Amino acid sequence: MLHTLAFTLSDLRTAYAEGARPGDVIREVYRRIEAVGDPALFLHLRDLADVVAEAEALAAKSDKSPLWGMPFVVKDNIDVADLPTTAGCPAFAYTPDRDAFVVARLRHAGALLIGKTNLDQFATGLVGVRSPYGVPRNAIDATLVPGGSSSGSGVAVAHGLVPFSLGTDTAGSGRVPAALNNIVGLKPSLGALSNSGVVPACRTLDTISVFARSVADAYAVFEIACAYDEADAYAVELEAGALAAAPDRVRIGIPASRTRRFFGDDAQADMFDAAIDTLRDKGAAIVELDFTPFYDIAELLYEGAWIAERYTVIEDLLSRQPEAVHPTTAAIVGPAERLSAADAFRGLYRLKDLTRIAERALEGIEALCVPSIPTFYTLADLEADPVTPNSNLGTYTNFVNLLGLCGVAVPTAQRSDGRPGSVTVLARHGADALAASIAALFEAKIDTTGSARTVQRDEADTIELAVCGAHMSGLPLNGQLTSLGATFCRSMRTAERYRLYALAGGPPYRPGLLRTENGARIELEVWALPTSNVGPFMAGIPSPLSIGTVELEDGTRTHGFLVEAAGLDGAEDITDFGGWRGYLTHQDVA
């Protein structure tokens, strides 16, 4: 049962009520982590035996806390006792002796900490590729950037490994990964969640954020984490407020058509128009705003005072060991060395002037709705230009913390090209419940079923296809799927009756999956391919490969790649590696 369970708070509570034990849930988490097989996802993963022991001790307690038995992960700029905190930089690493304030509250509420996830170094970036530990694979399309800086935390939830995770958000790091991985990202009001035990990016603008697979789950975690911490000088006393239905005829501001920025992405523009129609259908009053002052505020975040604020965090490391800092991070933060106090004050004055203009625009407006991201970028885009795509991803996020707003990024219906849609609902400081209630209006438009959240699609118009080799995410032939509109569904393993072979020839190098009585479980990915494109895809499959029926470890069957026994001449049996990725890590092939 746990193999097919969607990891949401409500689903896990139901499973527990029906007799599941926390230790079994934790074992399932680790099974899923192994099945995903992403070595760049976790920087520190706790030993399975230790977490199971903690889970079984929790099971012995009769008093069930609100997050009883719920596994979660945190971004590795947030302290966890006895686990290293690196902030994405090995030279910066230290091992704290106690949990961050928010982590401690969640664990006290019964949540079970699994490990710490990858990030853009020092939380500087919105792309998720600025890490010496590698790049976590986007859970929807491995050719896309995962989003940052909370890359690993977003990807972990999107894969269904845990029901929620913690990130941080200064410029959009709790919202951009949510949009790129089709999940919810809740960015609280500044000071509502304590930053004690968090490595700062910009201390005046930072907040811990929450990733989840529904608005209700994200808000439930926020409610538990929200508590005043006197040790945090930037903490504020704020009541979370109960999540309720959105008010009738709420007035929502949106960017006026002439001031919207999508960088030529018409599908994203259409997605946003459809999302606004959803709000109108729900009774919202839509008000178009000139967004120029908001864009002007956004540009300040990587200038003057706030670059200097980032510099304070790594100043000592830059002077002692500059090579330890990621080159792009150093290029962004380094100019602070030439800034003066006068430059900082000029930035603060400019922000105050622009804030006054923005506040006038917001008079009578109860919330804003903006695209979470203006467009999508691939890993190849970032290799060609490591800065411009990152800046563009912050178009609708960089101004938010400078204006003291709270917000929730939420999936909408998918775009015309199958990529996930996402908008962010923003509200004034302290109006977290209002932002969440409006964001929840979109959830009827998305699919929350399955072992991992996937983009909404018409099941009658797609066919599921299991791939076990070069067509998997991030491998050389994956583009043959994505170019035909295929979308990632889930990572799985076969039933225990297959053997895997490295076929002769290449490049591209290919495996062959053969059904046999003396077999093992082999890792694979399931993709949904539009039925109209099945023929073109099949036409490119060379002998001795074919499409047949593959039995999965959960007992279900799907279409998938198989090899003819006659095609094994010169092939190498690689079953013991557990899958093609495991084999590649031991070979000089791709």
Side-chain angles (χ1 to χ4, degrees):
M1 178 187 73
L2 292 178
H3 278 33
T4 58
L5 189 68
F7 267 24
T8 64
L9 297 184
S10 60
D11 286 341
L12 282 174
R13 286 176 182 136
T14 298
Y16 285 137
E18 293 175 350
R21 294 182 59 82
D24 294 331
V25 168
I26 296 305
R27 293 184 186 94
E28 172 61 13
V29 170
Y30 281 74
R31 186 202 67 79
R32 293 185 181 195
I33 292 171
E34 182 182 1
V36 167
D38 187 345
L41 182 50
F42 285 92
L43 299 189
H44 315 290
L45 190 62
R46 295 180 65 197
D47 288 341
L48 171 60
D50 291 343
V51 188
V52 169
E54 185 178 320
E56 296 301 345
L58 185 71
K61 298 180 180 179
S62 57
D63 179 25
K64 293 189 177 180
S65 302
L67 292 177
W68 188 90
M70 300 298 165
F72 76 112
V73 299
V74 305
K75 184 178 180 178
D76 195 28
N77 61 342
I78 303 172
D79 285 350
V80 172
D82 301 322
L83 289 182
T85 297
T86 71
C89 180
F92 181 82
Y94 64 91
T95 302
D97 58 7
R98 62 179 178 177
D99 293 337
F101 182 92
V102 167
V103 173
R105 284 190 62 82
L106 298 178
R107 296 180 88 172
H108 181 73
L112 296 164
L113 192 284
I114 303 300
K116 305 186 74 178
T117 56
N118 205 349
L119 69 155
D120 280 316
Q121 190 179 79
F122 295 113
T124 299
L126 293 174
V127 285
V129 304
R130 300 172 179 173
S131 170
Y133 297 101
V135 180
R137 293 194 299 271
N138 184 295
I140 301 299
D141 180 349
T143 66
L144 298 174
V145 296
S149 60
S150 309
S151 53
S153 291
V155 168
V157 169
H159 273 308
L161 305 181
V162 289
F164 72 92
S165 66
L166 298 184
T168 60
D169 190 305
T170 306
S173 297
R175 292 161 278 156
V176 170
L180 285 163
N181 290 278
N182 206 41
I183 58 173
V184 171
L186 185 151
K187 190 216 79 68
S189 295
L190 296 184
L193 301 189
S194 167
N195 281 324
S196 293
V198 178
V199 178
C202 292
R203 191 180 174 199
T204 60
L205 300 177
D206 295 338
T207 179
I208 286 178
S209 63
V210 181
F211 294 107
R213 299 175 64 201
S214 72
V215 173
D217 279 5
Y219 197 81
V221 173
F222 166 67
E223 284 185 285
I224 294 165
C226 183
Y228 179 67
D229 175 18
E230 190 170 335
D232 178 5
Y234 285 90
V236 298
E237 295 191 58
L238 187 150
E239 291 291 333
L243 184 59
D248 294 335
R249 295 298 296 171
V250 60
R251 288 174 59 83
I252 299 176
I254 64 171
S257 299
R258 61 183 175 80
T259 61
R260 294 177 195 170
R261 296 179 179 177
F262 294 107
F263 303 100
D265 190 339
D266 292 338
Q268 193 74 344
D270 292 343
M271 177 280 301
F272 186 63
D273 285 339
I276 298 309
D277 287 343
T278 296
L279 291 176
R280 288 194 178 98
D281 292 344
K282 298 292 185 179
I286 303 300
V287 181
E288 294 205 358
L289 305 176
D290 179 357
F291 243 60
T292 303
F294 298 93
Y295 298 140
D296 291 342
I297 291 171
E299 291 176 1
L300 293 176
L301 191 59
Y302 285 94
E303 298 176 1
W306 298 279
I307 286 294
E309 193 170 11
R310 290 181 185 272
Y311 179 72
T312 63
V313 180
I314 60 174
E315 178 181 8
D316 181 59
L317 185 61
L318 278 171
S319 63
R320 289 186 297 103
Q321 202 173 342
E323 69 280 1
V325 180
H326 191 281
T328 305
T329 305
I332 292 168
V333 178
E337 295 177 344
R338 301 188 294 273
L339 295 173
S340 67
D343 292 321
F345 276 103
R346 290 187 190 101
L348 292 170
Y349 298 153
R350 175 69 171 154
L351 174 60
K352 201 68 173 176
D353 290 339
L354 290 171
T355 299
R356 180 62 57 85
I357 297 171
E359 287 173 344
R360 291 194 192 105
L362 292 173
E363 289 178 0
I365 301 296
E366 295 166 85
L368 292 173
C369 183
V370 298
S372 296
I373 55 175
T375 188
F376 288 80
Y377 289 103
T378 66
L379 296 171
D381 291 331
L382 268 295
E383 289 178 4
D385 181 353
V387 175
T388 304
N390 187 94
S391 299
N392 291 349
L393 284 174
T395 298
Y396 297 104
T397 61
N398 284 357
F399 65 85
V400 173
N401 287 13
L402 286 166
L403 284 175
L405 306 176
C406 60
V408 179
V410 60
T412 67
Q414 70 179 35
R415 299 174 6 144
S416 58
D417 60 1
R419 285 179 170 172
S422 177
V423 297
T424 296
V425 178
L426 303 167
R428 289 177 175 80
H429 188 277
D432 300 78
L434 174 63
S437 69
I438 297 172
L441 295 175
F442 293 98
E443 292 197 302
K445 296 287 185 179
I446 57 175
D447 173 17
T448 59
T449 63
S451 60
R453 166 168 274 164
T454 61
V455 293
Q456 183 186 22
R457 58 185 182 273
D458 185 344
E459 300 295 342
D461 292 334
T462 62
I463 183 172
E464 287 198 344
L465 184 69
V467 298
C468 60
H471 285 93
M472 295 171 74
S473 303
L475 296 183
L477 300 183
N478 183 248
Q480 293 182 1
L481 282 171
T482 57
S483 66
L484 293 173
T487 55
F488 177 83
C489 296
R490 59 195 180 276
S491 295
M492 290 286 288
R493 293 190 300 177
T494 67
E496 198 171 4
R497 51 178 58 94
Y498 292 89
R499 300 200 72 79
L500 190 67
Y501 294 86
L503 303 181
Y509 300 96
R510 303 169 185 263
L513 187 68
L514 183 71
R515 185 180 176 94
T516 177
E517 293 304 315
N518 181 27
R521 292 186 175 94
I522 304 298
E523 294 175 357
L524 50 74
E525 292 178 353
V526 179
W527 288 71
L529 180 66
T531 53
S532 59
N533 287 332
V534 170
F537 182 75
M538 292 280 290
I541 299 174
S543 177
L545 298 176
S546 63
I547 299 296
T549 300
V550 179
E551 185 177 352
L552 304 178
E553 66 176 341
D554 63 2
T556 62
R557 290 177 170 81
T558 189
H559 301 289
F561 275 94
L562 293 172
V563 66
E564 301 167 5
L568 298 181
D569 289 345
E572 176 188 358
D573 189 331
I574 59 172
T575 305
D576 290 344
F577 289 102
W580 187 240
R581 292 190 195 280
Y583 170 68
L584 292 181
T585 60
H586 292 79
Q587 308 294 318
D588 186 23
V589 299

mmCIF file of all heavy atoms in Angstrom, residues 513-543:
data_model
loop_
_atom_site.group_PDB
_atom_site.id
_atom_site.type_symbol
_atom_site.label_atom_id
_atom_site.label_comp_id
_atom_site.label_asym_id
_atom_site.label_seq_id
_atom_site.Cartn_x
_atom_site.Cartn_y
_atom_site.Cartn_z
ATOM 1 N N LEU A 513 16.421 -4.559 -21.647
ATOM 2 C CA LEU A 513 15.710 -5.160 -20.521
ATOM 3 C C LEU A 513 15.072 -6.457 -21.001
ATOM 4 O O LEU A 513 14.263 -6.455 -21.931
ATOM 5 C CB LEU A 513 14.650 -4.191 -19.996
ATOM 6 C CG LEU A 513 13.911 -4.578 -18.722
ATOM 7 C CD1 LEU A 513 14.858 -4.538 -17.523
ATOM 8 C CD2 LEU A 513 12.732 -3.631 -18.490
ATOM 9 N N LEU A 514 15.420 -7.560 -20.364
ATOM 10 C CA LEU A 514 14.939 -8.878 -20.789
ATOM 11 C C LEU A 514 14.179 -9.538 -19.653
ATOM 12 O O LEU A 514 14.683 -9.647 -18.528
ATOM 13 C CB LEU A 514 16.124 -9.766 -21.194
ATOM 14 C CG LEU A 514 15.758 -11.157 -21.733
ATOM 15 C CD1 LEU A 514 15.127 -11.047 -23.118
ATOM 16 C CD2 LEU A 514 16.993 -12.057 -21.780
ATOM 17 N N ARG A 515 12.949 -9.990 -19.941
ATOM 18 C CA ARG A 515 12.161 -10.713 -18.938
ATOM 19 C C ARG A 515 12.705 -12.135 -18.818
ATOM 20 O O ARG A 515 12.969 -12.816 -19.806
ATOM 21 C CB ARG A 515 10.693 -10.754 -19.331
ATOM 22 C CG ARG A 515 9.794 -11.397 -18.273
ATOM 23 C CD ARG A 515 8.345 -11.394 -18.732
ATOM 24 N NE ARG A 515 7.507 -12.095 -17.775
ATOM 25 C CZ ARG A 515 6.834 -11.522 -16.782
ATOM 26 N NH1 ARG A 515 6.910 -10.212 -16.618
ATOM 27 N NH2 ARG A 515 6.084 -12.227 -15.961
ATOM 28 N N THR A 516 12.874 -12.595 -17.572
ATOM 29 C CA THR A 516 13.430 -13.911 -17.313
ATOM 30 C C THR A 516 12.931 -14.401 -15.966
ATOM 31 O O THR A 516 12.439 -13.620 -15.145
ATOM 32 C CB THR A 516 14.982 -13.870 -17.316
ATOM 33 O OG1 THR A 516 15.481 -15.150 -16.984
ATOM 34 C CG2 THR A 516 15.497 -12.855 -16.319
ATOM 35 N N GLU A 517 13.056 -15.680 -15.714
ATOM 36 C CA GLU A 517 12.634 -16.226 -14.423
ATOM 37 C C GLU A 517 13.663 -15.932 -13.333
ATOM 38 O O GLU A 517 13.343 -15.872 -12.156
ATOM 39 C CB GLU A 517 12.414 -17.735 -14.540
ATOM 40 C CG GLU A 517 11.244 -18.117 -15.434
ATOM 41 C CD GLU A 517 9.947 -17.456 -14.984
ATOM 42 O OE1 GLU A 517 9.671 -17.456 -13.762
ATOM 43 O OE2 GLU A 517 9.207 -16.948 -15.844
ATOM 44 N N ASN A 518 14.909 -15.759 -13.713
ATOM 45 C CA ASN A 518 15.991 -15.515 -12.748
ATOM 46 C C ASN A 518 16.399 -14.054 -12.841
ATOM 47 O O ASN A 518 17.428 -13.711 -13.425
ATOM 48 C CB ASN A 518 17.182 -16.428 -13.056
ATOM 49 C CG ASN A 518 18.326 -16.222 -12.075
ATOM 50 O OD1 ASN A 518 18.113 -15.815 -10.932
ATOM 51 N ND2 ASN A 518 19.546 -16.493 -12.527
ATOM 52 N N GLY A 519 15.573 -13.166 -12.296
ATOM 53 C CA GLY A 519 15.810 -11.744 -12.492
ATOM 54 C C GLY A 519 15.921 -10.953 -11.209
ATOM 55 O O GLY A 519 16.063 -11.494 -10.115
ATOM 56 N N ALA A 520 15.856 -9.617 -11.364
ATOM 57 C CA ALA A 520 15.977 -8.688 -10.244
ATOM 58 C C ALA A 520 15.096 -7.475 -10.544
ATOM 59 O O ALA A 520 14.494 -7.371 -11.623
ATOM 60 C CB ALA A 520 17.439 -8.266 -10.064
ATOM 61 N N ARG A 521 15.024 -6.555 -9.589
ATOM 62 C CA ARG A 521 14.290 -5.305 -9.797
ATOM 63 C C ARG A 521 15.226 -4.299 -10.466
ATOM 64 O O ARG A 521 16.328 -4.057 -9.979
ATOM 65 C CB ARG A 521 13.764 -4.756 -8.474
ATOM 66 C CG ARG A 521 12.669 -5.620 -7.850
ATOM 67 C CD ARG A 521 12.092 -4.939 -6.613
ATOM 68 N NE ARG A 521 10.966 -5.687 -6.083
ATOM 69 C CZ ARG A 521 11.051 -6.596 -5.132
ATOM 70 N NH1 ARG A 521 12.237 -6.882 -4.593
ATOM 71 N NH2 ARG A 521 9.970 -7.230 -4.706
ATOM 72 N N ILE A 522 14.790 -3.695 -11.543
ATOM 73 C CA ILE A 522 15.601 -2.775 -12.327
ATOM 74 C C ILE A 522 14.949 -1.382 -12.299
ATOM 75 O O ILE A 522 13.741 -1.245 -12.518
ATOM 76 C CB ILE A 522 15.732 -3.249 -13.794
ATOM 77 C CG1 ILE A 522 16.292 -4.671 -13.852
ATOM 78 C CG2 ILE A 522 16.587 -2.277 -14.590
ATOM 79 C CD1 ILE A 522 17.682 -4.829 -13.271
ATOM 80 N N GLU A 523 15.760 -0.359 -12.038
ATOM 81 C CA GLU A 523 15.247 1.008 -11.980
ATOM 82 C C GLU A 523 14.828 1.495 -13.364
ATOM 83 O O GLU A 523 15.487 1.203 -14.369
ATOM 84 C CB GLU A 523 16.316 1.942 -11.419
ATOM 85 C CG GLU A 523 16.662 1.659 -9.958
ATOM 86 C CD GLU A 523 17.805 2.523 -9.463
ATOM 87 O OE1 GLU A 523 18.363 3.300 -10.273
ATOM 88 O OE2 GLU A 523 18.145 2.424 -8.276
ATOM 89 N N LEU A 524 13.724 2.245 -13.405
ATOM 90 C CA LEU A 524 13.265 2.841 -14.650
ATOM 91 C C LEU A 524 12.466 4.107 -14.353
ATOM 92 O O LEU A 524 12.232 4.452 -13.193
ATOM 93 C CB LEU A 524 12.442 1.841 -15.465
ATOM 94 C CG LEU A 524 11.294 1.072 -14.779
ATOM 95 C CD1 LEU A 524 10.081 1.947 -14.536
ATOM 96 C CD2 LEU A 524 10.901 -0.140 -15.626
ATOM 97 N N GLU A 525 12.082 4.794 -15.393
ATOM 98 C CA GLU A 525 11.209 5.965 -15.283
ATOM 99 C C GLU A 525 9.981 5.738 -16.152
ATOM 100 O O GLU A 525 10.072 5.137 -17.233
ATOM 101 C CB GLU A 525 11.910 7.235 -15.751
ATOM 102 C CG GLU A 525 13.050 7.687 -14.858
ATOM 103 C CD GLU A 525 13.750 8.927 -15.383
ATOM 104 O OE1 GLU A 525 13.445 9.384 -16.507
ATOM 105 O OE2 GLU A 525 14.623 9.437 -14.669
ATOM 106 N N VAL A 526 8.839 6.238 -15.691
ATOM 107 C CA VAL A 526 7.609 6.159 -16.473
ATOM 108 C C VAL A 526 7.287 7.565 -16.989
ATOM 109 O O VAL A 526 7.234 8.529 -16.224
ATOM 110 C CB VAL A 526 6.440 5.613 -15.636
ATOM 111 C CG1 VAL A 526 5.160 5.576 -16.469
ATOM 112 C CG2 VAL A 526 6.771 4.217 -15.102
ATOM 113 N N TRP A 527 7.091 7.674 -18.290
ATOM 114 C CA TRP A 527 6.754 8.940 -18.944
ATOM 115 C C TRP A 527 5.398 8.805 -19.629
ATOM 116 O O TRP A 527 5.008 7.710 -20.036
ATOM 117 C CB TRP A 527 7.819 9.303 -19.984
ATOM 118 C CG TRP A 527 9.118 9.752 -19.378
ATOM 119 C CD1 TRP A 527 10.030 8.985 -18.711
ATOM 120 C CD2 TRP A 527 9.625 11.076 -19.353
ATOM 121 N NE1 TRP A 527 11.084 9.749 -18.275
ATOM 122 C CE2 TRP A 527 10.865 11.038 -18.673
ATOM 123 C CE3 TRP A 527 9.178 12.297 -19.862
ATOM 124 C CZ2 TRP A 527 11.650 12.169 -18.469
ATOM 125 C CZ3 TRP A 527 9.961 13.432 -19.665
ATOM 126 C CH2 TRP A 527 11.167 13.365 -18.975
ATOM 127 N N ALA A 528 4.689 9.917 -19.751
ATOM 128 C CA ALA A 528 3.400 9.952 -20.464
ATOM 129 C C ALA A 528 3.624 10.601 -21.820
ATOM 130 O O ALA A 528 3.992 11.777 -21.905
ATOM 131 C CB ALA A 528 2.363 10.724 -19.659
ATOM 132 N N LEU A 529 3.398 9.837 -22.886
ATOM 133 C CA LEU A 529 3.628 10.302 -24.250
ATOM 134 C C LEU A 529 2.276 10.516 -24.937
ATOM 135 O O LEU A 529 1.417 9.629 -24.900
ATOM 136 C CB LEU A 529 4.448 9.261 -25.014
ATOM 137 C CG LEU A 529 4.796 9.561 -26.468
ATOM 138 C CD1 LEU A 529 5.746 10.758 -26.556
ATOM 139 C CD2 LEU A 529 5.429 8.340 -27.115
ATOM 140 N N PRO A 530 2.041 11.689 -25.537
ATOM 141 C CA PRO A 530 0.784 11.893 -26.272
ATOM 142 C C PRO A 530 0.589 10.787 -27.307
ATOM 143 O O PRO A 530 1.518 10.442 -28.045
ATOM 144 C CB PRO A 530 0.988 13.263 -26.937
ATOM 145 C CG PRO A 530 1.964 13.978 -26.047
ATOM 146 C CD PRO A 530 2.895 12.904 -25.553
ATOM 147 N N THR A 531 -0.620 10.240 -27.352
ATOM 148 C CA THR A 531 -0.869 9.116 -28.259
ATOM 149 C C THR A 531 -0.619 9.498 -29.716
ATOM 150 O O THR A 531 -0.216 8.661 -30.524
ATOM 151 C CB THR A 531 -2.321 8.621 -28.107
ATOM 152 O OG1 THR A 531 -3.223 9.734 -28.253
ATOM 153 C CG2 THR A 531 -2.544 8.003 -26.740
ATOM 154 N N SER A 532 -0.830 10.780 -30.039
ATOM 155 C CA SER A 532 -0.607 11.215 -31.414
ATOM 156 C C SER A 532 0.856 11.134 -31.811
ATOM 157 O O SER A 532 1.181 11.141 -33.011
ATOM 158 C CB SER A 532 -1.104 12.654 -31.594
ATOM 159 O OG SER A 532 -0.431 13.537 -30.700
ATOM 160 N N ASN A 533 1.752 11.065 -30.815
ATOM 161 C CA ASN A 533 3.187 11.028 -31.109
ATOM 162 C C ASN A 533 3.805 9.653 -30.867
ATOM 163 O O ASN A 533 5.027 9.501 -30.955
ATOM 164 C CB ASN A 533 3.925 12.068 -30.270
ATOM 165 C CG ASN A 533 3.673 13.475 -30.766
ATOM 166 O OD1 ASN A 533 3.409 13.678 -31.950
ATOM 167 N ND2 ASN A 533 3.736 14.451 -29.870
ATOM 168 N N VAL A 534 2.963 8.650 -30.566
ATOM 169 C CA VAL A 534 3.504 7.304 -30.352
ATOM 170 C C VAL A 534 4.132 6.763 -31.631
ATOM 171 O O VAL A 534 5.229 6.186 -31.624
ATOM 172 C CB VAL A 534 2.400 6.354 -29.840
ATOM 173 C CG1 VAL A 534 2.901 4.914 -29.844
ATOM 174 C CG2 VAL A 534 1.967 6.762 -28.435
ATOM 175 N N GLY A 535 3.445 6.970 -32.774
ATOM 176 C CA GLY A 535 3.960 6.480 -34.043
ATOM 177 C C GLY A 535 5.326 7.064 -34.377
ATOM 178 O O GLY A 535 6.276 6.314 -34.668
ATOM 179 N N PRO A 536 5.489 8.409 -34.340
ATOM 180 C CA PRO A 536 6.805 8.997 -34.613
ATOM 181 C C PRO A 536 7.887 8.500 -33.658
ATOM 182 O O PRO A 536 9.035 8.316 -34.067
ATOM 183 C CB PRO A 536 6.554 10.494 -34.446
ATOM 184 C CG PRO A 536 5.109 10.673 -34.756
ATOM 185 C CD PRO A 536 4.440 9.436 -34.239
ATOM 186 N N PHE A 537 7.517 8.269 -32.390
ATOM 187 C CA PHE A 537 8.515 7.778 -31.441
ATOM 188 C C PHE A 537 8.912 6.342 -31.781
ATOM 189 O O PHE A 537 10.099 5.988 -31.788
ATOM 190 C CB PHE A 537 7.967 7.857 -30.018
ATOM 191 C CG PHE A 537 8.953 7.406 -28.973
ATOM 192 C CD1 PHE A 537 10.019 8.207 -28.603
ATOM 193 C CD2 PHE A 537 8.819 6.166 -28.357
ATOM 194 C CE1 PHE A 537 10.936 7.802 -27.657
ATOM 195 C CE2 PHE A 537 9.721 5.744 -27.408
ATOM 196 C CZ PHE A 537 10.783 6.563 -27.051
ATOM 197 N N MET A 538 7.929 5.494 -32.072
ATOM 198 C CA MET A 538 8.196 4.094 -32.389
ATOM 199 C C MET A 538 9.085 3.972 -33.627
ATOM 200 O O MET A 538 9.914 3.068 -33.732
ATOM 201 C CB MET A 538 6.882 3.351 -32.633
ATOM 202 C CG MET A 538 6.011 3.199 -31.389
ATOM 203 S SD MET A 538 6.535 1.858 -30.324
ATOM 204 C CE MET A 538 6.090 0.434 -31.309
ATOM 205 N N ALA A 539 8.912 4.894 -34.562
ATOM 206 C CA ALA A 539 9.667 4.815 -35.807
ATOM 207 C C ALA A 539 11.172 4.940 -35.572
ATOM 208 O O ALA A 539 11.971 4.506 -36.397
ATOM 209 C CB ALA A 539 9.197 5.903 -36.773
ATOM 210 N N GLY A 540 11.553 5.534 -34.445
ATOM 211 C CA GLY A 540 12.968 5.734 -34.173
ATOM 212 C C GLY A 540 13.589 4.672 -33.296
ATOM 213 O O GLY A 540 14.755 4.803 -32.892
ATOM 214 N N ILE A 541 12.857 3.600 -32.980
ATOM 215 C CA ILE A 541 13.384 2.549 -32.104
ATOM 216 C C ILE A 541 14.099 1.497 -32.949
ATOM 217 O O ILE A 541 13.478 0.838 -33.785
ATOM 218 C CB ILE A 541 12.254 1.894 -31.289
ATOM 219 C CG1 ILE A 541 11.563 2.941 -30.404
ATOM 220 C CG2 ILE A 541 12.800 0.752 -30.439
ATOM 221 C CD1 ILE A 541 10.352 2.422 -29.679
ATOM 222 N N PRO A 542 15.410 1.336 -32.747
ATOM 223 C CA PRO A 542 16.159 0.395 -33.580
ATOM 224 C C PRO A 542 16.096 -1.031 -33.028
ATOM 225 O O PRO A 542 15.938 -1.256 -31.826
ATOM 226 C CB PRO A 542 17.587 0.940 -33.494
ATOM 227 C CG PRO A 542 17.665 1.529 -32.115
ATOM 228 C CD PRO A 542 16.287 2.084 -31.827
ATOM 229 N N SER A 543 16.228 -2.002 -33.888
ATOM 230 C CA SER A 543 16.378 -3.399 -33.466
ATOM 231 C C SER A 543 17.711 -3.523 -32.704
ATOM 232 O O SER A 543 18.675 -2.823 -33.014
ATOM 233 C CB SER A 543 16.393 -4.289 -34.700
ATOM 234 O OG SER A 543 16.613 -5.632 -34.354
#
